[in-house]
Amino acid sequence: MNKNERKNSVGGFGGLVFSMLFYSISGVMVTWLGIAFTTGGQLIVRAVVAVAISLIWILISKSGFHLPKGKYNSWSLALDILTRPMFNFCFIMAVFGFREATFALLLLFTAKVLMGGLIANFFNKVKLGWFDILCYLIALVGILVYNWGGEFKIVFLWAVGSGILEAVKSEAMSKLNVEQKDKPIVSLYEFLGVAVAGLVVMFMLNGGEFIKSGGFIDGFVNDTFWGVGKTYWGIALAATAVVALALELYGFSNFSPDLGNIILATELGVAGWINYKLLSTPEYPILFGYQQIIALTIFVVAAALVSKAESFRTKEKLIET
């Protein structure tokens, strides 16, 4: 591996790690926005915040509003844009179906890691070595340890669906390899797609309701965090989606998508602690004890091994060429 490739690989690893940290608050964001807004309403609010930031990003970078014709693979671009509103919707449904954001994440990442491996092996013809398989096994062990003995429900299909869609999106991102000046345009397209999906969900599933009955008072006034309505915080947290997307686009363009999915799966441990601190209630408790701490340690080990696995994989490519 030459110095430039090593630099890109390290940068891609770092981008995915920081993206994971930003995404770890997604359960809190979904829950707090859900106090006031319907599922469709929440998608619209998140999209409006992200579109506004994407427009500011475009104006600052002077990148324009159109991607160069023929520059990017149309199928990969379409998958990248279309899967975001789909997996956002599935994840919201999973969180409120389980009434526990951490368990929804657990199933999401199980599906995402496994689907990422299948795509790499069967579609990209990546030869999975023993070190790659070890990373998969350690990540899956961490996921199982985190919620060993937990109750599975039918609604797990929403969580699994969101994981599969995220794996497909990761693959599309790696194929696109979006240049820096084009990232705000892709961000704008993605979140406009979320807005459209929100409108469809609001009118087809929520009876045209944007805010829940009594939701405005509960979300913005009664339920507070540090003296501020939790839904206000949810709207503020929605802004981090653009930052996470930018880091994810960079990360997957410089790192194997299936191994990158394992890095993002370590979000479960970080998000589990955050959800425990901010979302756990006597009525709906979220556990974070020794079992979850052990799982978090396993995730850290898995993330470290993934970096080494990527190095081995790159060396094998150089030998083959």
Side-chain angles (χ1 to χ4, degrees):
M1 185 188 295
N2 60 43
K3 182 180 281 189
N4 190 50
E5 286 173 328
R6 182 181 294 277
K7 182 180 178 181
N8 288 340
S9 180
V10 171
F13 179 83
L16 290 172
V17 168
F18 280 103
S19 175
M20 174 272 293
L21 293 174
F22 277 107
Y23 278 133
S24 64
I25 61 172
S26 59
V28 174
M29 177 181 63
V30 167
T31 303
W32 285 357
L33 286 175
I35 298 170
F37 299 107
T38 61
T39 301
Q42 177 173 159
L43 284 170
I44 293 170
V45 169
R46 292 167 65 179
V48 168
V49 173
V51 165
I53 294 173
S54 298
L55 288 172
I56 294 170
W57 189 6
I58 287 172
L59 292 174
I60 293 173
S61 63
K62 299 178 181 179
S63 57
F65 294 91
H66 301 285
L67 293 172
K69 191 174 182 180
K71 186 174 183 179
Y72 299 108
N73 181 277
S74 299
W75 282 106
S76 296
L77 185 62
L79 283 173
D80 180 52
I81 293 170
L82 293 175
T83 50
R84 174 170 287 277
M86 292 168 69
F87 81 66
N88 278 349
F89 170 70
C90 288
F91 182 64
I92 291 171
M93 294 298 287
V95 169
F96 290 114
F98 286 117
R99 299 198 64 86
E100 216 274 58
T102 307
F103 191 57
L105 281 171
L106 180 141
L107 291 173
L108 183 156
F109 286 120
T110 302
K112 185 173 183 176
V113 168
L114 292 175
M115 187 66 181
L118 289 173
I119 291 173
N121 191 233
F122 292 102
F123 294 96
N124 293 340
K125 306 301 181 184
V126 174
K127 294 179 181 178
L128 298 179
W130 69 269
F131 211 82
D132 298 312
I133 294 171
L134 178 64
C135 290
Y136 279 110
L137 290 174
I138 290 175
L140 291 173
V141 166
I143 291 169
L144 289 172
V145 168
Y146 193 96
N147 204 73
W148 186 258
E151 180 185 357
F152 282 78
K153 304 177 183 180
I154 297 298
V155 75
F156 84 93
L157 291 174
W158 287 119
V160 170
S162 62
I164 292 172
L165 288 167
E166 279 214 35
V168 172
K169 180 174 173 57
S170 300
E171 181 64 26
M173 283 182 174
S174 70
K175 297 288 187 189
L176 280 174
N177 195 12
V178 179
E179 292 185 6
Q180 181 63 33
K181 64 184 181 66
D182 294 330
K183 287 176 182 177
I185 308 172
V186 174
S187 175
L188 177 65
Y189 290 172
E190 283 198 22
F191 291 108
L192 283 174
V194 175
V196 172
L199 287 170
V200 171
V201 171
M202 186 175 75
F203 285 105
M204 292 188 67
L205 298 181
N206 302 141
E209 290 187 357
F210 179 69
I211 294 180
K212 294 177 179 177
S213 177
F216 186 87
I217 298 299
D218 289 337
F220 291 94
V221 181
N222 291 344
D223 291 327
T224 65
F225 177 71
W226 285 351
V228 178
K230 287 181 179 177
T231 300
Y232 282 118
W233 288 106
I235 293 171
L237 292 176
T240 62
V242 178
V243 180
L245 172 61
L247 291 166
E248 202 176 10
L249 284 168
Y250 175 76
F252 278 118
S253 65
N254 293 286
F255 210 83
S256 297
D258 60 313
L259 296 177
N261 285 333
I262 296 176
I263 295 173
L264 293 182
T266 63
E267 174 192 327
L268 178 62
V270 179
W273 181 81
I274 292 173
N275 294 343
Y276 166 70
K277 286 293 185 181
L278 299 182
L279 300 180
S280 186
T281 64
E283 186 179 3
Y284 299 106
I286 295 175
L287 298 177
F288 198 88
Y290 290 113
Q291 182 176 328
Q292 286 71 38
I293 292 171
I294 291 170
L296 180 56
T297 304
I298 294 172
F299 289 139
V300 172
V301 172
L305 291 177
V306 160
S307 179
K308 194 65 179 176
E310 177 73 2
S311 176
F312 286 159
R313 193 176 285 185
T314 305
K315 285 179 180 178
E316 288 178 2
K317 287 180 183 177
L318 290 174
I319 292 172
E320 289 173 1
T321 55

